[in-house]
Amino acid sequence: MVRPSWDKYFMAITKEVAKRSTCMRRHVGAILVKDKRILTTGYNGAPAGLMHCEETGCMREDESIPSGERHELCRGLHAEQNAIIQAAYYGIPIAGAVLYCTNFPCVICSKMLINAGIRTVYYENGYNDLLAKQMLLEAGVELQRLVL
């Protein structure tokens, strides 16, 4: 057995985290890491204590809203948002951390990551959000695609 690199190890964990997703369209997992230690995890889904889309149905599907558009028309939070929220909720400093995510962040998540002080983003799957990429690069956030 070949021992995985740290980056591959953390990216593999994001896939496990994504399995907790309650989104009907896409399962996304994210982890924030600093000094080779996992600080928080997040997956996409409805806020804690609310019904999941599996129970209510997906308004984005019902309205035929394309992926990457009208983010506000969704019951769920993104995985990156949940990872940041977990850090705030539990008082965990994340400035200077690295994000590992199964998907490239959308523009809303990208703005949050920039202001949270995330310096590097590893992602596996692309996401067609040119503004997100432009803003992350302008902020000096390193972007690395890592396919397992």
Side-chain angles (χ1 to χ4, degrees):
M1 182 170 116
V2 178
R3 189 174 188 208
S5 68
W6 283 108
D7 293 331
K8 289 183 178 181
Y9 169 74
F10 290 127
M11 187 58 78
I13 292 171
T14 66
K15 291 184 173 199
E16 282 300 310
V17 173
K19 291 177 182 178
R20 293 279 307 152
S21 171
T22 60
C23 179
M24 296 170 63
R25 295 177 99 182
R26 179 183 310 205
H27 291 213
V28 180
I31 62 173
L32 288 169
V33 174
K34 192 170 189 179
D35 299 327
K36 298 180 183 160
R37 300 291 179 253
I38 297 172
L39 302 176
T40 64
T41 66
Y43 53 86
N44 56 328
L50 299 186
M51 289 191 298
H52 299 294
C53 299
E54 298 160 334
E55 301 166 286
T56 64
C58 177
M59 74 170 64
R60 294 179 63 78
E61 282 293 319
D62 294 344
E63 300 293 326
S64 300
I65 299 169
S67 180
E69 296 180 15
R70 305 292 313 267
H71 297 285
E72 74 280 7
L73 298 177
C74 180
R75 291 181 59 81
L77 291 146
H78 289 187
E80 304 94 320
Q81 293 169 343
N82 274 323
I84 292 168
I85 290 166
Q86 288 298 307
Y89 191 87
Y90 290 104
I92 300 168
I94 58 173
V98 174
L99 173 78
Y100 291 84
C101 194
T102 56
N103 291 73
F104 190 87
C106 73
V107 69
I108 295 169
C109 291
S110 294
K111 291 185 278 189
M112 292 175 70
L113 293 165
I114 291 165
N115 276 0
I118 304 307
R119 302 310 312 151
T120 305
V121 172
Y122 286 92
Y123 64 96
E124 184 174 51
N125 297 308
Y127 189 70
N128 192 21
D129 195 327
L130 297 177
L131 182 57
K133 184 175 184 179
Q134 177 188 11
M135 292 180 80
L136 288 164
L137 291 174
E138 182 180 340
V141 176
E142 181 184 352
L143 303 175
Q144 293 287 328
R145 184 159 191 222
L146 180 61
V147 179
L148 297 185

